[in-house]
Amino acid sequence: MTTKDTASAKRGPYAKAKEKRRLILDSAHAVFAAKGYLGGSLQDVANQAGMSQTSLLHYFPSKSDLLMAVLEWRDELTKSANPSAREESFEDAVIRTALHNEKIPGVIELYTVLCAESITNAHPGRDYFTERFERLRESYTRSFSALAQEGKLRPGVDPAWAAMSLVALWDGLQTQWLLAPDTIDVAKALRAYFEVVLLPEA
């Protein structure tokens, strides 16, 4: 066997395992988005993936392990194929991300359902969402502070307040969009929010 054949043989099982793991994550994404973590079982995920629960547990030893892997994969999905543009403003980046997420099947459903569930007792995703909100508030506060230094934030608007409000508004709009996608325009509403807290360009 040549060196090339040996390398291919070694890659074979790894590639198959990677594909199987991707299938499970796809299936868990669909199940958790539709039923939530509490309502969706490992058997549901296994059925969706067309495998036994024993096979699934070979890749993810517990339901909570699978949940965290799905949340991490969800973050990768929202970041991939969504490159920032050069000289892009903060508000344009927010609008672009909102529009991008709407195009990924199930990603907003998954986030909204699991985020709501995470406040329940002993939910394994609670720390993930708590830390995520903290990071978003800190990141947006820095962005609004920079806009204030540039003289673009309206007088009296506190950067931390604006950041917290943006997080709350965006999440609330996404929930309404899920219930009435033909009525709620998330990007338009976010743009209107920025018009309230930012000064118009000269």
Side-chain angles (χ1 to χ4, degrees), residues 83-93 96 150 152 201:
S84 60
R86 281 188 172 184
E87 305 301 325
E88 184 178 42
S89 67
F90 171 55
E91 55 268 34
D92 284 342
R96 171 178 50 76
E150 295 169 10
K152 296 180 179 180
E201 294 189 11

Side-chain angles (χ1 to χ4, degrees), residues 20-39:
K20 189 73 70 173
R21 191 174 189 277
R22 170 65 182 271
L23 173 61
I24 294 171
L25 289 174
D26 264 331
S27 301
H29 190 156
V31 169
F32 291 158
K35 299 183 177 182
Y37 173 79
L38 300 177

Side-chain angles (χ1 to χ4, degrees), residues 25-196:
L25 289 174
D26 264 331
S27 301
H29 190 156
V31 169
F32 291 158
K35 299 183 177 182
Y37 173 79
L38 300 177
S41 67
L42 285 176
Q43 189 60 57
D44 289 331
V45 177
N47 292 342
Q48 180 82 12
M51 65 174 64
S52 68
Q53 189 173 150
T54 301
S55 296
L56 186 155
L57 291 171
H58 173 74
Y59 294 91
F60 298 97
S62 70
K63 188 180 177 184
S64 60
D65 288 331
L66 179 57
L67 172 68
M68 297 315 299
V70 168
L71 288 172
E72 290 172 4
W73 187 50
R74 182 260 174 201
D75 289 342
E76 292 177 9
L77 282 176
T78 56
K79 290 177 183 177
S80 64
N82 185 29
S84 60
R86 281 188 172 184
E87 305 301 325
E88 184 178 42
S89 67
F90 171 55
E91 55 268 34
D92 284 342
V94 168
I95 302 301
R96 171 178 50 76
T97 301
L99 291 171
H100 172 74
N101 290 350
E102 288 179 6
K103 298 175 184 177
I104 307 175
V107 75
I108 296 178
E109 289 89 335
L110 179 79
Y111 170 85
T112 303
V113 170
L114 295 182
C115 182
E117 277 191 343
S118 71
I119 65 173
T120 57
N121 291 337
H123 193 284
R126 188 182 185 96
D127 287 345
Y128 166 88
F129 284 102
T130 298
E131 292 167 6
R132 183 179 188 279
F133 281 130
E134 289 176 354
R135 289 196 306 272
L136 286 176
R137 288 193 298 268
E138 291 172 0
S139 175
Y140 293 169
T141 296
R142 289 193 296 270
S143 294
F144 280 117
S145 294
L147 288 168
Q149 292 176 359
E150 295 169 10
K152 296 180 179 180
L153 196 65
R154 288 188 185 276
V157 175
D158 177 68
W161 172 88
M164 180 180 60
S165 299
L166 176 56
V167 173
L169 175 64
W170 196 346
D171 276 18
L173 286 169
Q174 287 188 147
T175 300
Q176 294 180 68
W177 176 80
L178 289 172
L179 296 171
D182 295 329
T183 303
I184 304 301
D185 189 329
V186 176
K188 183 177 180 180
L190 289 172
R191 183 70 73 185
Y193 169 77
F194 283 115
E195 290 175 357
V196 171

